Amino acid sequence: MSQSESIYEKLGGEAAIGAVVDIFYKKVLADDTVNGFFKDTDMEKQRRHQTKFLSFALGGPAQYTGASMAKAHEGMNLQPIHWNAIVNHLTASLREAGVGEGDIDTIVSHVATLKDDILNK
Ligand code: HEM
């Protein structure tokens, strides 16, 4: 186990992410605080989005070639209430998927570094 192993690798890579994606996806779409942002997003795109989202949040491989976080959320004018909802769904999904509390703390700390890039864009 290398010292640089990311949480993404530790959880089992892309396959393990799939389980979390399904849980997270259901929670996000069931939540009126945030589901409106995804109303024009089709299922296929949604799944890809969530997989990228989680890979990004978990420090996955540098295979992500999409927009910067500021660019990806440009024009959405996301506010703290939306941010908190997403982070809460992420935390609950990781917990349900059996990820340990220590790893969840690490993930939430990492995601927090993206906050300024994502809000008010
Ligand atoms: C927790 C931190 C977040 C991360 C790591 C994240 C990650 C991403 C990624 C990787 C993309 C795809 C960009 C691309 O394909 O070029 C994206 C797009 C998007 N994000 Fe986020 N995001 C976060 C927070 C949020 C929040 C708080 C909301 C709204 C409640 C949101 C709503 C969206 C929407 C609507 C899209 C576009 C989906 C589409 O392509 O139709 N994101 N995000």
Side-chain angles (χ1 to χ4, degrees):
M1 195 176 288
S2 88
Q3 212 182 355
S4 62
E5 185 183 59
S6 65
I7 291 211
Y8 175 90
E9 290 167 308
K10 187 173 165 188
L11 298 184
E14 206 167 322
I17 304 303
V20 184
V21 167
D22 289 340
I23 299 170
F24 180 64
Y25 167 71
K26 288 200 187 94
K27 291 186 191 295
V28 169
L29 288 197
D31 180 357
D32 289 341
T33 311
V34 290
N35 58 12
F37 290 102
F38 298 92
K39 69 179 180 337
D40 296 326
T41 302
D42 66 50
M43 299 286 275
E44 204 50 43
K45 205 175 166 198
Q46 175 76 12
R47 209 186 147 81
R48 277 204 308 276
H49 165 63
Q50 303 300 4
T51 304
K52 279 195 219 166
F53 172 102
L54 284 167
S55 298
F56 208 91
L58 303 183
Q63 68 185 17
Y64 180 71
T65 55
S68 69
M69 285 298 97
K71 199 81 187 159
H73 301 91
E74 199 172 68
M76 292 186 204
N77 193 24
L78 295 176
Q79 298 301 311
I81 188 173
H82 307 125
W83 174 265
N84 292 340
I86 292 291
V87 173
N88 285 340
H89 291 318
L90 175 62
T91 303
S93 302
L94 291 165
R95 204 166 274 145
E96 278 180 45
V99 177
E101 293 301 320
D103 285 340
I104 292 177
D105 286 349
T106 305
I107 292 163
V108 169
S109 304
H110 173 65
V111 160
T113 66
L114 307 171
K115 191 172 178 179
D116 287 348
D117 281 342
I118 292 174
L119 296 193
N120 305 304
K121 302 294 165 177

Short mmCIF file of all heavy atoms in Angstrom, two decimals, residues 62-94:
data_model
loop_
_atom_site.label_atom_id
_atom_site.label_comp_id
_atom_site.label_asym_id
_atom_site.label_seq_id
_atom_site.Cartn_x
_atom_site.Cartn_y
_atom_site.Cartn_z
N ALA A 62 -6.36 11.06 -12.15
CA ALA A 62 -6.38 12.32 -12.92
C ALA A 62 -7.00 12.12 -14.28
O ALA A 62 -6.62 12.74 -15.27
CB ALA A 62 -4.97 12.86 -13.04
N GLN A 63 -7.99 11.21 -14.36
CA GLN A 63 -8.65 10.95 -15.64
C GLN A 63 -9.73 11.98 -15.93
O GLN A 63 -10.28 12.04 -17.01
CB GLN A 63 -9.29 9.56 -15.63
CG GLN A 63 -10.46 9.47 -14.66
CD GLN A 63 -11.03 8.07 -14.55
OE1 GLN A 63 -10.40 7.11 -14.93
NE2 GLN A 63 -12.24 7.96 -14.02
N TYR A 64 -10.01 12.81 -14.94
CA TYR A 64 -11.05 13.81 -15.12
C TYR A 64 -10.58 14.91 -16.05
O TYR A 64 -9.59 15.58 -15.79
CB TYR A 64 -11.45 14.41 -13.77
CG TYR A 64 -12.53 15.46 -13.89
CD1 TYR A 64 -13.82 15.09 -14.21
CD2 TYR A 64 -12.25 16.80 -13.72
CE1 TYR A 64 -14.82 16.03 -14.36
CE2 TYR A 64 -13.24 17.77 -13.86
CZ TYR A 64 -14.53 17.36 -14.17
OH TYR A 64 -15.51 18.30 -14.31
N THR A 65 -11.30 15.06 -17.15
CA THR A 65 -10.90 16.06 -18.14
C THR A 65 -12.00 17.09 -18.36
O THR A 65 -11.97 17.85 -19.31
CB THR A 65 -10.59 15.39 -19.51
OG1 THR A 65 -11.73 14.62 -19.90
CG2 THR A 65 -9.37 14.48 -19.42
N GLY A 66 -12.98 17.07 -17.46
CA GLY A 66 -14.09 18.01 -17.59
C GLY A 66 -13.70 19.42 -17.18
O GLY A 66 -12.53 19.72 -16.97
N ALA A 67 -14.71 20.24 -17.05
CA ALA A 67 -14.50 21.64 -16.71
C ALA A 67 -13.96 21.78 -15.29
O ALA A 67 -14.13 20.88 -14.46
CB ALA A 67 -15.82 22.37 -16.83
N SER A 68 -13.32 22.89 -15.01
CA SER A 68 -12.90 23.21 -13.64
C SER A 68 -14.17 23.30 -12.80
O SER A 68 -15.27 23.49 -13.36
CB SER A 68 -12.17 24.54 -13.60
OG SER A 68 -13.08 25.59 -13.86
N MET A 69 -14.04 23.20 -11.49
CA MET A 69 -15.23 23.26 -10.64
C MET A 69 -15.95 24.61 -10.79
O MET A 69 -17.18 24.66 -10.80
CB MET A 69 -14.84 22.99 -9.18
CG MET A 69 -14.55 21.53 -8.89
SD MET A 69 -15.97 20.42 -9.17
CE MET A 69 -15.65 19.83 -10.79
N ALA A 70 -15.21 25.70 -10.93
CA ALA A 70 -15.84 27.01 -11.13
C ALA A 70 -16.62 27.04 -12.44
O ALA A 70 -17.76 27.50 -12.50
CB ALA A 70 -14.79 28.11 -11.10
N LYS A 71 -16.00 26.53 -13.47
CA LYS A 71 -16.61 26.51 -14.80
C LYS A 71 -17.84 25.59 -14.83
O LYS A 71 -18.87 25.91 -15.41
CB LYS A 71 -15.56 26.02 -15.81
CG LYS A 71 -15.85 26.36 -17.24
CD LYS A 71 -15.46 27.80 -17.58
CE LYS A 71 -15.94 28.13 -18.99
NZ LYS A 71 -16.04 29.59 -19.17
N ALA A 72 -17.70 24.41 -14.20
CA ALA A 72 -18.79 23.42 -14.21
C ALA A 72 -20.06 23.95 -13.54
O ALA A 72 -21.16 23.54 -13.89
CB ALA A 72 -18.34 22.13 -13.52
N HIS A 73 -19.89 24.87 -12.59
CA HIS A 73 -21.05 25.37 -11.85
C HIS A 73 -21.37 26.83 -12.18
O HIS A 73 -22.15 27.48 -11.48
CB HIS A 73 -20.80 25.18 -10.34
CG HIS A 73 -20.57 23.74 -9.98
ND1 HIS A 73 -19.32 23.17 -9.94
CD2 HIS A 73 -21.44 22.73 -9.72
CE1 HIS A 73 -19.43 21.88 -9.65
NE2 HIS A 73 -20.70 21.57 -9.53
N GLU A 74 -20.79 27.30 -13.25
CA GLU A 74 -21.00 28.68 -13.70
C GLU A 74 -22.46 28.93 -14.04
O GLU A 74 -23.10 28.10 -14.67
CB GLU A 74 -20.14 28.90 -14.95
CG GLU A 74 -19.87 30.35 -15.28
CD GLU A 74 -18.86 30.45 -16.42
OE1 GLU A 74 -19.22 30.06 -17.56
OE2 GLU A 74 -17.72 30.85 -16.17
N GLY A 75 -22.96 30.07 -13.58
CA GLY A 75 -24.34 30.46 -13.89
C GLY A 75 -25.37 29.82 -12.98
O GLY A 75 -26.56 30.13 -13.07
N MET A 76 -24.95 28.91 -12.09
CA MET A 76 -25.92 28.25 -11.20
C MET A 76 -26.19 29.07 -9.95
O MET A 76 -27.19 28.87 -9.27
CB MET A 76 -25.41 26.86 -10.81
CG MET A 76 -25.37 25.86 -11.96
SD MET A 76 -24.92 24.21 -11.37
CE MET A 76 -24.27 23.51 -12.88
N ASN A 77 -25.28 29.96 -9.62
CA ASN A 77 -25.41 30.79 -8.41
C ASN A 77 -25.72 29.93 -7.18
O ASN A 77 -26.65 30.22 -6.42
CB ASN A 77 -26.48 31.86 -8.61
CG ASN A 77 -26.44 32.93 -7.54
OD1 ASN A 77 -25.41 33.14 -6.91
ND2 ASN A 77 -27.57 33.58 -7.31
N LEU A 78 -24.96 28.87 -7.01
CA LEU A 78 -25.18 27.95 -5.89
C LEU A 78 -24.90 28.66 -4.56
O LEU A 78 -23.97 29.45 -4.45
CB LEU A 78 -24.29 26.72 -6.03
CG LEU A 78 -24.60 25.83 -7.24
CD1 LEU A 78 -23.59 24.68 -7.34
CD2 LEU A 78 -26.02 25.27 -7.17
N GLN A 79 -25.75 28.37 -3.59
CA GLN A 79 -25.69 29.01 -2.27
C GLN A 79 -25.36 27.98 -1.19
O GLN A 79 -25.47 26.77 -1.43
CB GLN A 79 -27.05 29.66 -1.97
CG GLN A 79 -27.42 30.77 -2.96
CD GLN A 79 -26.38 31.88 -2.97
OE1 GLN A 79 -25.98 32.40 -1.92
NE2 GLN A 79 -25.90 32.25 -4.16
N PRO A 80 -25.01 28.46 0.01
CA PRO A 80 -24.67 27.52 1.10
C PRO A 80 -25.74 26.46 1.35
O PRO A 80 -25.40 25.31 1.66
CB PRO A 80 -24.50 28.45 2.31
CG PRO A 80 -24.00 29.72 1.71
CD PRO A 80 -24.74 29.87 0.39
N ILE A 81 -27.02 26.80 1.20
CA ILE A 81 -28.07 25.81 1.46
C ILE A 81 -27.95 24.63 0.49
O ILE A 81 -28.17 23.47 0.87
CB ILE A 81 -29.48 26.46 1.41
CG1 ILE A 81 -30.54 25.48 1.87
CG2 ILE A 81 -29.81 27.01 0.03
CD1 ILE A 81 -31.94 26.07 2.02
N HIS A 82 -27.56 24.92 -0.76
CA HIS A 82 -27.41 23.85 -1.75
C HIS A 82 -26.15 23.04 -1.43
O HIS A 82 -26.14 21.81 -1.52
CB HIS A 82 -27.30 24.45 -3.17
CG HIS A 82 -28.41 25.37 -3.50
ND1 HIS A 82 -28.23 26.66 -3.91
CD2 HIS A 82 -29.76 25.18 -3.44
CE1 HIS A 82 -29.40 27.24 -4.10
NE2 HIS A 82 -30.35 26.37 -3.83
N TRP A 83 -25.12 23.76 -1.09
CA TRP A 83 -23.85 23.12 -0.72
C TRP A 83 -24.07 22.13 0.44
O TRP A 83 -23.67 20.98 0.38
CB TRP A 83 -22.83 24.19 -0.33
CG TRP A 83 -21.57 23.60 0.18
CD1 TRP A 83 -21.24 23.38 1.50
CD2 TRP A 83 -20.47 23.11 -0.60
NE1 TRP A 83 -20.01 22.78 1.57
CE2 TRP A 83 -19.52 22.62 0.30
CE3 TRP A 83 -20.23 23.05 -1.97
CZ2 TRP A 83 -18.32 22.05 -0.12
CZ3 TRP A 83 -19.03 22.50 -2.40
CH2 TRP A 83 -18.09 22.00 -1.47
N ASN A 84 -24.73 22.64 1.50
CA ASN A 84 -24.94 21.80 2.68
C ASN A 84 -25.76 20.57 2.36
O ASN A 84 -25.48 19.47 2.86
CB ASN A 84 -25.62 22.61 3.79
CG ASN A 84 -24.70 23.70 4.34
OD1 ASN A 84 -23.48 23.63 4.19
ND2 ASN A 84 -25.28 24.71 4.96
N ALA A 85 -26.77 20.73 1.51
CA ALA A 85 -27.62 19.60 1.15
C ALA A 85 -26.78 18.53 0.44
O ALA A 85 -26.87 17.34 0.77
CB ALA A 85 -28.77 20.06 0.24
N ILE A 86 -25.94 18.96 -0.50
CA ILE A 86 -25.14 18.00 -1.26
C ILE A 86 -24.12 17.29 -0.35
O ILE A 86 -23.95 16.07 -0.42
CB ILE A 86 -24.42 18.70 -2.44
CG1 ILE A 86 -25.43 19.17 -3.49
CG2 ILE A 86 -23.34 17.81 -3.06
CD1 ILE A 86 -26.13 18.06 -4.28
N VAL A 87 -23.48 18.06 0.52
CA VAL A 87 -22.49 17.45 1.41
C VAL A 87 -23.16 16.48 2.39
O VAL A 87 -22.62 15.41 2.68
CB VAL A 87 -21.67 18.54 2.15
CG1 VAL A 87 -20.75 17.92 3.20
CG2 VAL A 87 -20.84 19.35 1.15
N ASN A 88 -24.36 16.84 2.85
CA ASN A 88 -25.09 15.93 3.74
C ASN A 88 -25.46 14.64 3.02
O ASN A 88 -25.35 13.54 3.59
CB ASN A 88 -26.36 16.59 4.29
CG ASN A 88 -26.04 17.63 5.36
OD1 ASN A 88 -24.97 17.59 5.96
ND2 ASN A 88 -26.97 18.55 5.59
N HIS A 89 -25.89 14.74 1.77
CA HIS A 89 -26.25 13.54 1.01
C HIS A 89 -25.00 12.69 0.75
O HIS A 89 -25.05 11.46 0.79
CB HIS A 89 -26.91 13.91 -0.32
CG HIS A 89 -28.27 14.51 -0.15
ND1 HIS A 89 -29.18 14.02 0.75
CD2 HIS A 89 -28.87 15.55 -0.76
CE1 HIS A 89 -30.29 14.75 0.69
NE2 HIS A 89 -30.11 15.70 -0.21
N LEU A 90 -23.91 13.37 0.49
CA LEU A 90 -22.65 12.65 0.26
C LEU A 90 -22.25 11.87 1.52
O LEU A 90 -21.94 10.68 1.45
CB LEU A 90 -21.56 13.64 -0.15
CG LEU A 90 -20.15 13.07 -0.32
CD1 LEU A 90 -20.12 12.04 -1.44
CD2 LEU A 90 -19.14 14.20 -0.62
N THR A 91 -22.29 12.54 2.65
CA THR A 91 -21.91 11.92 3.92
C THR A 91 -22.81 10.71 4.23
O THR A 91 -22.32 9.63 4.56
CB THR A 91 -22.03 12.95 5.07
OG1 THR A 91 -21.22 14.07 4.74
CG2 THR A 91 -21.59 12.37 6.39
N ALA A 92 -24.11 10.90 4.08
CA ALA A 92 -25.06 9.82 4.37
C ALA A 92 -24.86 8.64 3.42
O ALA A 92 -24.94 7.48 3.83
CB ALA A 92 -26.49 10.34 4.28
N SER A 93 -24.56 8.95 2.16
CA SER A 93 -24.37 7.89 1.16
C SER A 93 -23.12 7.07 1.47
O SER A 93 -23.12 5.84 1.36
CB SER A 93 -24.25 8.49 -0.24
OG SER A 93 -25.40 9.24 -0.55
N LEU A 94 -22.06 7.76 1.84
CA LEU A 94 -20.80 7.06 2.17
C LEU A 94 -21.02 6.17 3.39
O LEU A 94 -20.56 5.03 3.44
CB LEU A 94 -19.69 8.09 2.45
CG LEU A 94 -19.22 8.88 1.23
CD1 LEU A 94 -18.42 10.10 1.66
CD2 LEU A 94 -18.40 8.00 0.28
#
